[in-house]
Amino acid sequence: MLYPNNIEQKLGFDKVREHVREACISPLGRYFAEKMRFSSDYDLIDRLVKQTAEFRYILQSGENFPASNYIDVHEHLTKAAIEGAFLTEEELFEVKISLRTISECLRFFGSKPDEVYPHLRELTRMVEVDFGLLKALDRVVDDRGKLRDDASPELQAIRRQIISEQAHLRKTLGSILRQAKSNGYAADDAAITFRNGRMVIPLAAEYKRRIKGFVQDESATGQTVFLEPAEVLDINNGITELGYRERREIVRILTEATGRLRPFVPALRKAYTFLGLMDFIRAKAKFALQTDAVNPVFVKQMLIGWENARHPLLHLSFAKQGKTVVPLNIKLDASNRILVISGPNAGGKSIALKTVGLTQYMYQCGLLVSMSEDSRAGLFRDIFIDIGDEQSLENDLSTYSSHLTNMKHLLRSAGKSTLFLIDEFGTGTEPGMGGAIAESILEAVNQTGAFGVINTHYANLKSFADRTEGVTNGAMRFDTEHLEPLYQLAIGQPGSSFAFEIAHKIGLPKEVIARAREKVGEDQVNFDKMLRDLERERRQFTTRNQEVTRKDQQLAQTLKQYNELKTHLDTEKKKILNQAKEEARNLVRDANSRIEQTIREIREKQAGKDETRELRRGLQQFETALKPDYVPPAPVEDAPEIKVIGGDIEAGDLVRIKGQTAVGEVLDLNPRNKEALIGIGELKSTVKLNRLEKISRKEYRAHTVENTPRMRGIDLNEKMANFSYQLDLRGKRGEEALQEVDQFVDNAIMLGSPELRIVHGKGDGILRTLVRNHLRNYTQVQSLEDEHADRGGPGVTVVRMK
């Protein structure tokens, strides 16, 4: 059921239909556009929208689908069906070229694989015409719409004879006209012409008796007559007779061609139905392209799950102005069937309501709809709307009475497959009573299981939606800072009307607004304030969420760049090592070759001391040439000196890390592990006590980040490129070794190294024991073990990190 009867005008579907009609190129397509109707048949809707979606793809891909000669020839077919009747040349020509278009459409689909455009291909089955008929018509009528000379041997002979006789007639008349001009009977610019279907010459009226013949006509002034000389009378009569014969032959040929067409009239009617459908479906596809419409996921159940839905007519209007429509995201399902939308006036409530109604109506008429392709569209049997003022003088109905009449129809007819849309629910009467009646109606409709969207300003309806299962609140969002509507629907919370704020923006006196706040009551003011606060917090949350998303994207991009750089560095490192190994191998080979050659020369020559000394000098020169060039270290800027004071370190003391310029404050001590938690700016870190030195507050202030004119950051890429996973402590004293271990492990933790190797040698095992006991104090260390016997055994400690 559709309610009311003018539902298409209420929703704006009549304008959509007009757009589709205008996109059709023939009456055949416009006929189907007028017949477009709402349907609740799932299979039919699915087939119609898929046909349109397939044609939309044809238009998008630029394929050469026939686009001309969509001609309605139904009247011609009706005439051809009558026994003894015949079609004119022009009518046969229209049948011919439109039939050719049908043939080209079939050829288009026939050239594609079976799985391409399956729903459009299915329509071709209704065409059962023998296209030999097209060839027969082409033999009779040419591409200019004229009967061919060779349509029959008799017609060809007649036309040849007419041409011959006309040439003879023209030659004879030309001779007579030249003589008349020389005699002064005709003007110098006079020429042969036709009157009453006969060839004549123009003469001055006063000389018409000088030449024997028949006057066929005269000019408007009477000064010129058009004379048919007696000499050409028989020729003209002969040509006229040939014209009669030609006409009889043409009628015979047309009758014969129409008779050949007559048995195919029923099949041709179906073929032209197919042609009209192609025009209509293409028009729907064109409209879909104009409105960025798609075919969403269609499910055989009552629901609405739309993302980025847009009102198609508003989309077209905004596109002309260079603006974009704010999309609508809405979801109605079994758990939340009814949506109660509230918010400020002119905030987009009515547009949202009409977008829902028009979009659902369009889809169930077989049109594509403007939304994201992954949206879900459901199926409804009934659509009920109450939009606009239905005041009627004839039926003595006020605005509120007309709304109540509509509600009566809704309560009688609503069911689980009904979609209802009500704008300004409960308005038109005293607000207290109107709100109570509206709540009772909403409660009754909710019990029917119907789906719907309601616009309202009533607080009791918002409260009802908040506490009632199956009903949910929605708000049109509002920019509380600039007091402007955002036209965005937020589901899950009610909206404020922002009446006081809008009144203030418009410029009502402050004292008037203040008195209004007093009159409306503290509870209502607090309720509206809560809604405003919720809207403000929602905007803040949305902004922060967008910022977090942006930072996540930046982090992902940075991580990607880091991984790419690490991969690049690892690859370059392998290349350099391989190149170094190759060069070392070549050097060793050259050195061995040079030594063997020197030894061989000494033996062969049995060289004395001088010769041997000379050979050794050659080897020394070779060794000198192999030494690498000295590369001076890059100059390091001297770090500012920090004065250290003595004494034990306690919580709250100011300290610096040995060998570094970083200063911080001791936040906490762990005497058991001999560690301290220090804060360096915003950074907190756990450091061994033996790596800290106590400093004065004056030194701390002089070297904090705020008072330092410049600071150095840590280049992780450089640090990773220069970091070695192996530390060699051989030959180091205990305290010196432990400081290097601390720095080594700190860097490893910062760079996320999973495994380390510390070479301390075997010896008596003192350094090994000292290092391992020290490493056990690190909570980040998972295990310590000896290296494999082939790679150093107990002389190397393998450290695995957590």
Side-chain angles (χ1 to χ4, degrees):
M1 181 195 77
L2 299 175
Y3 184 89
N5 294 330
N6 62 343
I7 185 172
E8 292 191 356
Q9 288 74 29
K10 289 278 188 179
L11 293 176
F13 186 77
D14 56 332
K15 295 182 176 64
V16 172
R17 188 192 301 276
E18 187 59 31
H19 278 287
V20 175
R21 284 187 76 259
E22 290 176 357
C24 294
I25 58 179
S26 76
L28 293 169
R30 289 191 282 273
Y31 168 78
F32 286 104
E34 291 296 338
K35 286 185 61 178
M36 189 165 42
R37 294 291 182 269
F38 178 88
S39 172
S40 58
D41 184 332
Y42 176 84
D43 294 331
L44 174 61
I45 298 169
D46 187 56
R47 185 168 65 253
L48 293 177
V49 293
K50 284 180 177 177
Q51 288 170 355
T52 310
E54 289 175 1
F55 218 119
R56 182 181 188 271
Y57 181 80
I58 292 175
L59 296 179
Q60 277 184 313
S61 61
E63 295 191 65
N64 190 22
F65 192 85
S68 61
N69 298 325
Y70 283 71
I71 303 173
D72 184 4
V73 298
H74 281 93
E75 292 185 2
H76 305 344
L77 296 179
T78 301
K79 180 179 177 182
I82 301 173
E83 194 68 36
F86 64 88
L87 301 181
T88 65
E89 295 175 63
E90 183 180 354
E91 291 168 343
L92 278 178
F93 175 67
E94 290 182 347
V95 172
K96 169 191 162 182
I97 59 176
S98 56
L99 196 57
R100 181 183 294 163
T101 299
I102 296 173
S103 174
E104 291 172 352
C105 291
L106 298 182
R107 191 179 302 115
F108 175 86
F109 292 115
S111 65
K112 308 293 179 185
D114 291 344
E115 63 273 11
V116 178
Y117 312 132
H119 297 88
L120 289 174
R121 182 187 298 273
E122 186 179 355
L123 294 176
T124 62
R125 297 179 182 175
M126 69 173 63
V127 182
E128 300 174 347
V129 176
D130 180 3
F131 284 97
L133 178 62
L134 178 59
K135 294 180 180 179
L137 292 176
D138 194 48
R139 286 194 296 268
V140 174
V141 182
D142 62 18
D143 289 337
R144 296 172 301 147
K146 301 299 181 182
L147 209 63
R148 295 183 183 274
D149 291 345
D150 58 353
S152 74
E154 177 66 17
L155 181 63
Q156 190 172 34
I158 292 172
R159 287 184 172 175
R160 284 178 178 173
Q161 191 173 355
I162 289 174
I163 293 172
S164 175
E165 291 296 321
Q166 284 179 341
H168 177 52
L169 175 60
R170 192 174 294 276
K171 182 178 179 181
T172 303
L173 280 176
S175 176
I176 297 173
L177 182 59
R178 285 192 299 272
Q179 185 63 42
K181 287 180 180 179
S182 65
N183 293 333
Y185 303 157
D188 292 339
D189 59 348
I192 299 171
T193 184
F194 281 88
R195 286 294 186 272
N196 299 326
R198 303 175 76 86
M199 204 175 294
V200 296
I201 59 174
L203 295 176
E206 60 267 28
Y207 300 115
K208 62 182 178 181
R209 300 190 185 278
R210 300 292 179 91
I211 299 176
K212 188 178 180 180
F214 303 91
V215 176
Q216 296 291 345
D217 198 2
E218 65 179 5
S219 65
T221 61
Q223 295 180 359
T224 303
V225 297
F226 298 94
L227 183 75
E228 178 185 6
E231 299 160 59
V232 299
L233 179 63
D234 292 339
I235 302 175
N236 260 330
N237 288 340
I239 292 174
T240 301
E241 180 60 32
L242 288 173
Y244 294 149
R245 287 177 58 194
E246 180 189 29
R247 182 59 189 162
R248 287 194 296 271
E249 181 61 17
I250 288 174
V251 170
R252 187 193 68 78
I253 294 171
L254 294 176
T255 303
E256 182 180 329
T258 304
R260 187 173 300 171
L261 192 71
R262 189 169 294 114
F264 298 98
V265 166
L268 286 171
R269 292 188 186 279
K270 292 183 180 180
Y272 282 96
T273 298
F274 164 79
L275 189 62
L277 285 173
M278 289 296 101
D279 186 19
F280 170 57
I281 296 172
R282 176 170 49 193
K284 293 196 295 180
K286 285 182 178 178
F287 182 69
L289 287 176
Q290 292 170 357
T291 56
D292 291 335
V294 298
N295 182 20
V297 180
F298 188 28
V299 292
K300 197 174 184 179
Q301 61 187 86
M302 281 66 71
L303 65 80
I304 289 176
W306 301 345
E307 298 290 332
N308 298 319
R310 301 175 303 281
H311 193 289
L313 300 177
L314 195 62
H315 177 88
L316 291 176
S317 175
F318 275 27
K320 293 178 181 178
Q321 303 172 42
K323 299 190 294 185
T324 56
V325 177
V326 178
L328 175 72
N329 298 326
I330 183 170
K331 181 178 181 181
L332 299 180
D333 53 25
S335 58
N336 290 308
R337 293 175 289 101
I338 300 175
L339 176 63
V340 177
I341 302 178
S342 51
N345 286 321
K349 299 191 300 297
S350 296
I351 290 295
L353 194 76
K354 290 184 178 181
T355 299
V356 173
L358 180 58
T359 300
Q360 188 66 40
Y361 195 92
M362 284 175 58
Y363 193 75
Q364 292 194 224
C365 286
L367 292 167
L368 301 183
V369 286
S370 303
M371 61 180 65
S372 297
E373 206 158 4
D374 56 353
S375 299
R376 301 177 71 211
L379 180 70
F380 294 93
R381 186 189 64 199
D382 310 314
I383 295 183
F384 174 97
I385 69 169
D386 181 22
I387 300 174
D389 188 358
E390 291 293 340
Q391 182 172 281
S392 172
L393 296 176
E394 293 81 1
N395 298 323
D396 195 24
L397 288 177
S398 67
T399 299
Y400 188 64
S401 298
S402 68
H403 285 312
L404 289 182
T405 302
N406 292 337
M407 294 305 103
K408 179 184 70 175
H409 286 287
L410 174 61
L411 293 173
R412 285 179 177 176
S413 308
K416 293 182 178 180
S417 60
T418 298
L419 174 66
F420 64 90
L421 308 168
I422 304 175
D423 193 19
E424 299 296 344
F425 192 31
T427 58
T429 189
E430 194 275 321
M433 295 183 180
I437 294 175
E439 184 175 343
S440 298
I441 293 173
L442 180 56
E443 184 177 9
V445 173
N446 184 39
Q447 292 173 358
T448 67
F451 289 69
V453 181
I454 291 173
N455 289 345
T456 188
H457 289 286
Y458 287 149
N460 65 311
L461 296 183
K462 303 175 191 178
S463 301
F464 177 83
D466 190 53
R467 67 176 184 269
T468 305
E469 184 177 355
V471 187
T472 187
N473 272 304
M476 299 308 298
R477 298 186 60 196
F478 192 78
D479 186 344
T480 55
E481 182 177 350
H482 300 95
L483 297 179
E484 293 177 349
L486 299 174
Y487 306 109
Q488 297 172 354
L489 174 63
I491 296 179
Q493 69 179 49
S496 170
S497 296
F498 294 96
F500 295 133
E501 288 77 8
I502 295 174
H504 181 268
K505 181 181 180 182
I506 290 174
L508 282 182
K510 293 182 179 180
E511 58 273 14
V512 173
I513 298 175
R515 284 199 299 273
R517 289 182 185 273
E518 295 173 0
K519 292 177 181 295
V520 80
E522 185 177 351
D523 291 341
Q524 182 64 39
V525 171
N526 290 338
F527 181 70
D528 274 357
K529 182 177 183 300
M530 179 191 70
L531 293 179
R532 292 195 303 274
D533 291 342
L534 283 174
E535 175 61 24
R536 188 179 298 108
E537 291 174 3
R538 179 184 180 88
R539 288 197 64 206
Q540 293 174 352
F541 172 77
T542 301
T543 303
R544 291 176 182 175
N545 190 41
Q546 291 172 349
E547 182 66 18
V548 169
T549 302
R550 185 184 64 80
K551 289 182 177 180
D552 285 345
Q553 292 173 348
Q554 290 179 344
L555 178 61
Q557 181 68 20
T558 303
L559 183 60
K560 179 183 177 183
Q561 293 174 351
Y562 162 76
N563 289 330
E564 290 175 352
L565 177 60
K566 184 176 182 300
T567 303
H568 174 72
L569 291 175
D570 290 343
T571 303
E572 289 299 314
K573 180 181 177 182
K574 290 179 181 178
K575 288 181 180 179
I576 294 172
L577 288 175
N578 290 337
Q579 183 179 355
K581 290 177 181 178
E582 183 63 28
E583 291 177 358
R585 191 179 296 112
N586 293 335
L587 288 173
V588 170
R589 184 171 57 249
D590 292 344
N592 288 336
S593 175
R594 188 66 178 269
I595 292 170
E596 289 174 359
Q597 181 182 354
T598 303
I599 294 172
R600 186 165 52 250
E601 289 179 1
I602 292 174
R603 287 177 178 173
E604 289 176 354
K605 296 180 179 179
Q606 295 181 354
K609 291 183 179 180
D610 295 337
E611 293 175 340
T612 302
R613 190 179 299 112
E614 186 64 29
L615 291 172
R616 284 179 177 174
R617 189 180 297 112
L619 281 177
Q620 288 173 354
Q621 292 175 352
F622 179 71
E623 180 183 0
T624 302
L626 293 180
K627 286 184 178 179
D629 296 332
Y630 171 74
V631 179
V636 179
E637 187 177 331
D638 293 336
E641 183 180 355
I642 301 177
K643 293 183 180 180
V644 178
I645 62 176
D648 294 335
I649 296 175
E650 302 292 341
D653 287 345
L654 304 174
V655 296
R656 79 157 186 174
I657 301 174
K658 291 180 180 179
Q660 299 184 20
T661 59
V663 297
E665 181 182 359
V666 177
L667 304 177
D668 193 14
L669 289 176
N670 187 349
R672 181 178 179 183
N673 294 333
K674 297 181 179 180
E675 293 176 338
L677 177 65
I678 65 172
I680 305 174
E682 297 295 327
L683 177 68
K684 295 180 181 180
S685 178
T686 302
V687 184
K688 293 293 181 182
L689 284 172
N690 61 4
R691 295 190 58 212
L692 299 176
E693 294 175 325
K694 190 174 179 181
I695 63 174
S696 66
R697 186 165 299 278
K698 180 180 179 181
E699 288 292 322
Y700 175 78
R701 284 198 300 267
H703 293 86
T704 50
V705 174
E706 289 80 0
N707 296 322
T708 301
R710 61 186 178 188
M711 58 180 290
R712 293 184 181 179
I714 298 176
D715 190 338
L716 288 180
N717 293 330
E718 181 182 356
K719 209 166 190 67
M720 177 170 287
N722 297 325
F723 181 71
S724 171
Y725 298 97
Q726 178 171 304
L727 175 65
D728 193 344
L729 299 176
R730 289 176 293 185
K732 303 286 177 66
R733 293 184 178 184
E735 183 177 354
E736 182 184 4
L738 292 183
Q739 286 184 357
E740 291 198 18
V741 167
D742 285 336
Q743 188 172 0
F744 179 60
V745 173
D746 286 347
N747 289 336
I749 293 172
M750 180 169 57
L751 298 175
S753 302
E755 185 177 291
L756 308 173
R757 295 178 79 253
I758 300 178
V759 182
H760 40 63
K762 299 178 182 177
D764 296 331
I766 296 174
L767 185 57
R768 177 184 61 191
T769 303
L770 185 64
V771 169
R772 291 191 177 183
N773 288 339
H774 186 69
L775 288 171
R776 289 190 181 97
N777 294 326
Y778 279 93
T779 58
Q780 295 89 348
V781 174
Q782 181 177 353
S783 65
L784 304 170
E785 58 186 39
D786 291 342
E787 180 59 280
H788 191 275
D790 294 340
R791 295 189 291 275
V796 179
T797 295
V798 178
V799 184
R800 288 192 170 82
M801 310 298 289
K802 292 183 180 178

